[in-house]
Amino acid sequence: VAQVHGGINNSTPLITTADYGDIHYHPIEEGEDFAREIPDDNDDFITPGGFDAFFIQPDGEGKSQHKRRNRHKKSPHPRESVSILGSLRHDATFDELRTYYDDDGVTMQRKLNDGTKKARACQRQSVTSMYFPTCNAFHEFDLSRPFDDPKEYIVPRPENSQVTVRYLSHGYYRDVWTLEENSWLWPIHLEPEEESPDQKFEVLDEERTARLVRNAYRTSVLKTFRTDREINEDNWEMIQIEAIIMERLTKSPRIMNIYGHCGFSVTAEVVPIEFEEVVVDHGGDGMYSQKKVEKRNQDGIRPYNDFTPTEKLEFALEMAESLADLHGFEDGVIVHDDVQLCQWLHTTDGRLKLGDFNRATIMQWDVENEEYCKFNNGEAYGNYRSPEEFAIKNLDEKIDVFSFGNNIYALLTGLWNFYDVDDDGEVHTMLIDQKLAYVDPRFKKRSYAEKKLVELMEKCWIYNPDDRISIFEAVEFLRNVLKENAALNNTTRINTS
């Protein structure tokens, strides 16, 4: 049946939900194409995502809607109900509140987000319990011979004749493998696959990328926990939250699709092209001396990537929209908490998809003070994070916006922020002291699109997160700029109407 939000009642041919209006469902016949599109009130079709792809609420509406939704949720702790304390007084002490909210899903804290000494009760969002592992499917995977060449198997085992397992790469926590179904399982695709033209993708490993692009229709990705990382409850919960987020955001075309989850492992779709490697000049690893960059630009700015100004705008919008899917999530604000270029991959049809949510946080709701509870990550590492992270302050979704500004910097220049500083500790100190990466002022005169990208980047880099632009405002800004840019150049790749 067609995918819908919520359950399907087989007794009726029509389902109505508060989220999406009328949704028809029907059996999908073999070979029938099915686009996940839903008619709106005007009989126009939209693709379901975290928010309407062509509509952004006015400033601040996205987050205020979340607040209203959380207030209207039925709490397991009604304020006037009788507990062991009787009816809870509104001037109750911290200890009284802690006894009242005697629940593993509620964390008591002594201070509000702004540091005011007042108790708050931070309640987990109900979506965090929507956990649906598919472990039986994982037991079918055989990783015992991933480095063998299938052509050299002396006695291939049955499973090896169906799936070829290859090691792909790794992150800090996980190894990544490809599970490639062998071509005989897809006979109608075999001839077109063999005849597909050679392409160059401007990435470090052209051969691997070409294979992934060619075989993407019969390949999935398996992420497993690295053997040198500690198996503990915190790390298990981290992977569980990622699986929940990816499953709940399946409806978004901007988020990588999850296929299954079990324990510390996740399977997902293959998105074959590394976006970071196209954006940042890896000939010098995106790091150069200031003197070398100035010499290159002495007769005019020469970015270290080959994007046109319009392409930079379009990619920035795609990244912003996927982050808005998280910050505008209907069941509570999701903070990605690890925004960097490598988290976006490029599909074969030219779209960006966001993945890797193993650091993500679904913000808790303060049932006492009716606001989202900020969280603290402790000491931060690297040089791509916000000043408040390096200062070990309490955090919210605005940390993603600051790092998104770093992505804009890379799109503009083809370099990393602080491209001439190798010491991460020095970068931490600079950011805490409100010293930002150098931006060549000539970008503001090079083109209309780049001028506007610099303007947006500066709004993303505002030091105080309360004053920093929201991702919804960033999306609205970029859509308006793309319209203006299209009027100036009479060309654009993304429909912004």
Side-chain angles (χ1 to χ4, degrees):
V1 296
Q3 179 174 346
V4 300
H5 183 74
I8 292 177
N9 182 350
N10 291 320
S11 64
T12 57
L14 184 65
I15 303 161
T16 301
T17 74
D19 291 333
Y20 298 137
D22 295 339
I23 302 179
H24 294 273
Y25 80 105
H26 59 276
I28 300 177
E29 303 295 337
E30 185 174 355
E32 177 185 358
D33 291 331
F34 174 64
R36 292 186 295 169
E37 295 180 328
I38 296 170
D40 63 14
D41 294 336
N42 300 318
D43 292 329
D44 295 323
F45 282 83
I46 61 171
T47 301
F51 61 95
D52 185 333
F54 298 107
F55 177 73
I56 290 293
Q57 293 284 359
D59 296 356
E61 271 297 299
K63 195 164 183 178
S64 63
Q65 281 189 351
H66 283 311
K67 290 184 177 180
R68 289 195 294 271
R69 241 191 329 263
N70 275 283
R71 289 191 192 104
H72 295 155
K73 286 181 180 178
K74 187 176 181 181
S75 172
H77 306 288
R79 201 67 166 77
E80 300 302 325
S81 66
V82 177
S83 68
I84 61 170
L85 297 175
S87 183
L88 188 65
R89 304 187 318 274
H90 284 274
D91 60 347
T93 66
F94 177 83
D95 288 335
E96 288 173 335
L97 286 168
R98 183 169 56 183
T99 303
Y100 181 74
Y101 293 109
D102 184 16
D103 188 329
D104 290 341
V106 177
T107 303
M108 294 301 304
Q109 300 184 24
R110 294 182 180 274
K111 293 182 180 180
L112 300 181
N113 290 331
D114 61 4
T116 302
K117 198 169 182 179
K118 182 182 177 183
R120 59 175 174 166
C122 298
Q123 184 179 52
R124 285 191 176 196
Q125 302 287 359
S126 58
V127 70
T128 59
S129 63
M130 300 183 71
Y131 172 54
F132 308 109
T134 55
C135 290
N136 284 349
F138 279 74
H139 297 160
E140 299 172 6
F141 302 147
D142 179 19
L143 298 181
S144 59
R145 297 167 68 175
F147 298 105
D148 289 355
D149 185 342
K151 297 177 181 178
E152 297 181 3
Y153 289 152
I154 298 175
V155 183
R157 292 173 294 177
E159 61 268 30
N160 287 330
S161 66
Q162 296 179 24
V163 178
T164 299
V165 180
R166 290 187 174 92
Y167 181 77
L168 186 64
S169 62
H170 68 83
Y172 182 79
Y173 287 103
R174 291 179 294 185
D175 289 314
V176 184
W177 316 77
T178 58
L179 307 176
E180 183 181 305
E181 291 185 342
N182 287 329
S183 55
W184 66 265
L185 294 169
W186 300 82
I188 62 173
H189 292 276
L190 183 56
E191 187 174 340
E193 179 184 315
E194 292 176 343
E195 294 176 355
S196 61
D198 292 333
Q199 291 179 268
K200 292 292 184 182
F201 302 96
E202 307 300 327
V203 295
L204 296 179
D205 193 332
E206 290 283 358
E207 181 180 354
R208 183 189 73 182
T209 302
R211 185 181 70 245
L212 288 174
V213 169
R214 186 172 60 248
N215 301 340
Y217 72 94
R218 56 184 173 92
T219 305
S220 59
V221 164
L222 170 65
K223 296 182 178 182
T224 59
F225 207 61
R226 296 183 69 183
T227 56
D228 59 349
R229 297 293 177 255
E230 184 177 356
I231 302 292
N232 58 36
E233 185 176 352
D234 287 343
N235 287 335
W236 181 84
E237 184 177 6
M238 174 181 69
I239 306 300
Q240 178 186 353
I241 289 295
E242 175 186 56
I244 290 171
I245 290 171
M246 293 182 73
E247 190 274 331
R248 295 297 292 160
L249 289 174
T250 297
K251 61 187 179 181
S252 170
R254 296 166 286 273
I255 304 297
M256 192 179 299
N257 289 323
I258 187 173
Y259 293 158
H261 164 62
C262 182
F264 285 81
S265 299
V266 169
T267 53
E269 68 173 317
V270 164
V271 185
I273 304 170
E274 294 281 354
F275 184 57
E276 177 189 297
E277 295 177 7
V278 183
V279 176
V280 176
D281 173 58
H282 280 270
D285 198 28
M287 302 289 287
Y288 291 97
S289 68
Q290 182 66 26
K291 184 177 180 180
K292 188 169 185 176
V293 174
E294 288 178 353
K295 183 177 180 180
R296 175 185 173 91
N297 294 334
Q298 61 185 358
D299 297 322
I301 290 180
R302 294 171 55 205
Y304 284 81
N305 59 41
D306 297 324
F307 296 141
T308 66
T310 297
E311 287 174 327
K312 294 175 182 180
L313 273 179
E314 292 166 342
F315 285 131
L317 175 58
E318 288 185 85
M319 287 191 284
E321 286 181 336
S322 57
L323 289 174
D325 276 343
L326 303 183
H327 296 184
F329 180 53
E330 60 196 357
D331 289 326
V333 175
I334 299 174
V335 183
H336 188 279
D337 202 356
D338 198 17
V339 169
Q340 48 186 318
L341 286 171
C342 64
Q343 311 295 20
W344 279 269
L345 298 173
H346 217 193
T347 65
T348 55
D349 60 355
R351 293 177 294 118
L352 290 182
K353 285 201 170 188
L354 174 61
D356 199 350
F357 301 95
N358 61 2
R359 281 186 60 100
T361 296
I362 303 176
M363 292 186 71
Q364 297 179 349
W365 178 251
D366 183 354
V367 294
E368 277 294 304
N369 302 285
E370 296 189 336
E371 63 179 0
Y372 280 99
C373 296
K374 290 189 176 184
F375 57 95
N376 196 299
N377 282 337
E379 187 175 2
Y381 301 93
N383 61 7
Y384 216 71
R385 296 185 172 277
S386 65
E388 59 265 30
E389 291 175 89
F390 294 129
I392 319 182
K393 294 182 178 179
N394 290 337
L395 312 171
D396 61 13
E397 75 277 7
K398 292 296 186 68
I399 63 175
D400 289 347
V401 176
F402 190 95
S403 297
F404 170 63
N406 294 338
N407 286 358
I408 295 176
Y409 187 91
L411 282 172
L412 279 170
T413 65
L415 298 169
W416 295 120
N417 58 324
F418 300 107
Y419 54 81
D420 59 338
V421 181
D422 286 329
D423 186 346
D424 287 351
E426 183 178 345
V427 172
H428 299 180
T429 302
M430 292 171 67
L431 285 172
I432 292 171
D433 292 341
Q434 305 187 41
K435 297 176 182 177
L436 299 170
Y438 172 74
V439 182
D440 194 314
R442 290 175 291 177
F443 272 112
K444 292 185 177 181
K445 299 179 180 179
R446 189 169 184 262
S447 68
Y448 171 78
E450 288 168 314
K451 171 187 174 182
K452 288 298 183 178
L453 282 173
V454 172
E455 182 181 329
L456 175 59
M457 181 175 65
E458 291 172 345
K459 293 175 183 290
C460 293
W461 280 353
I462 290 175
Y463 183 79
N464 185 340
D466 293 333
D467 298 330
R468 196 174 298 156
I469 191 172
S470 75
I471 201 64
F472 307 107
E473 294 167 325
V475 169
E476 185 176 28
F477 178 92
L478 286 166
R479 287 179 177 170
N480 290 334
V481 170
L482 264 171
K483 290 177 183 178
E484 294 292 331
N485 189 66
L488 292 171
N489 299 307
N490 198 28
T491 177
T492 184
R493 184 170 61 93
I494 293 178
N495 179 10
T496 62
S497 59

